[in-house]
Amino acid sequence: MNDLWNGIQQAISLTLTLDADLVEISLRSLRVTLSALFVSCLIALPLAAILAVRRFKYRRLIISTLNALMGLPPVVVGLIVYILLSRSGPFGVLGLLFTTHAMVIAQVIIITPLITSIAHQSLRELWSEYHDLLISMNTSKWQRIKTLLWDGRRALMTASLAGFGRAIGEVGAIMIVGGNIDHATRVLTTAISLETSKGDFALALALGFVLITLALAVNFTTHWLGRTEREGRW
Amino acid sequence: MFPMTACDLSVKVRQKHIIGPINLTINEGGITVLMGPNGAGKTTLIKALHGIIRLANGQVTFATPAKTAQEQQSFVFQSPIMLRRSVLENLAYPLMINGQDKQSAMERARTWATKIGLSAHMDRPAPFLSGGEKQKIALARALITSPKLLFLDEPTASLDGAATVEIEALLSEAQSTGTTIIMSTHNIGQARRMANRVLFMKDGQIDAHSAANAFFDTPPTEAAQKFIAGDIVV
Ligand SMILES: Nc1ncnc2c1ncn2[C@@H]1O[C@H](COP(=O)(O)OP(=O)(O)OP(=O)(O)O)[C@@H](O)[C@H]1O
Ligand SMILES: [Mg+2]
């Protein structure tokens, strides 16, 4: 009990004094996750719009594949990325294993299906609202997609935030492909896991504060976006 | 672009016969009012003429190539479809779709917003305006491209007297500046005020097509006669 209390006190002081390790790990976490989020959005958002607007041959197949990928356990994603990037794997020559790049790749694979799926759902709704009007106005396919992406931007932001939340809190996959190397691939979740197993609750708790704060910020923003949408303040 | 000719036009939804076969010629100018009991097929017919639903049979042709004709038509839906944008952006949208630059499109949108009495609400999100205001926006957005042919599906169905008068004034003006209008309505008073020609539909067929004066003075068919007299036509 005393240990725990000491841990909390130290954690608070680590946070308030902006401890170097704490800051380094937090920034790395943000960098990895924001990179993954950026790449994912580039893929997921246009894909979601295309799936909503166009009726093409492999549409159903893509949707079921995305749903299947969404259910994939992150640890398994980590394992697969590990095999692909390991020295004997097909992409071994790139030397990406145990770098932050590998972690970005794993996170992209984990969150792209999630973002696509959430974005697709709201864009499909928007499309059913707009369909007759945009058809009547002779819009091109590209104009339709652009209109949906722009007018659905709040919903797309919400989808992206869900992806961010999933990625920042994920531990299994990035532990495997990143290796949790100090000053190289150690991020919030992997550091917490390590510090806890070492019994060093101070740093673990301080890192936990940061993670919780990020999660709360995501929740708050999501909530706020929903409110502005419903109340028509934009 | 005129005459517009529908030849043997019929529409089916999932094997179910909805309207047709319909043969019809619409010449340039004036207002054609489409009347008939609920379920007669008015909405289906004007959507088919506008080319936004699939024909089971027959065709709609214009004196100009189909693509040119399509670009010179607008459609106002029974329940106005508002883009999740400001009033001004809704009005500017069709101009920008046609490749007009943003500044001149917004300039023109401002003129129209003033014209329909919404200059105080220009920057408000259109989906949150009242039904009457939305209908005026939908009409202005349809007229802003100066279409040669304008379709309206019960444009004043849920509006009060004052709003109805405003819409009718806009339609009369559009008509006098070279827009040919085809509109459906359940409002017999409105039909008397606005119509140059009347198309009377019943059971998916055109029951009567005549000059408005003649139609109201000596209804050409028994069904039309009962309809005007306020009897129920089944
Ligand atoms: N998508 C559809 N699926 C099934 N039935 C349809 C569909 N669209 C129209 N119908 C049927 O076709 C008939 C004509 O419908 P339509 O909407 O054109 O009538 P309307 O004259 O516009 O009626 P109202 O005066 O009520 O607007 C109706 O019986 C309707 O139920
Ligand atoms: Mg109708």
Side-chain angles (χ1 to χ4, degrees), chain B residues 43 78 153-154:
Chain B
T43 300
Q78 179 168 358
D153 193 8
E154 302 187 36

Side-chain angles (χ1 to χ4, degrees), chain A residues 129-130 138 143 147 151 232, chain B residues 70 84-85 93 97 125 128:
Chain A
E129 198 178 309
Y130 280 11
N138 267 310
Q143 286 171 329
T147 302
D151 289 8
Chain B
Q70 197 62 43
R84 295 183 190 172
R85 301 180 178 201
Y93 186 80
I97 286 292
F128 292 86

Side-chain angles (χ1 to χ4, degrees), chain B residues 13 16 18 37-44 154 186:
Chain B
V13 178
K16 182 176 167 250
I18 309 281
N38 289 130
K42 304 180 292 297
T43 300
T44 309
E154 302 187 36
H186 279 291

Side-chain angles (χ1 to χ4, degrees), chain A residues 176-194:
Chain A
I176 295 177
V177 302
N180 195 21
I181 303 165
D182 203 7
H183 301 301
T185 60
R186 185 160 302 167
V187 291
L188 286 169
T189 51
T190 56
I192 290 174
S193 152
L194 178 71

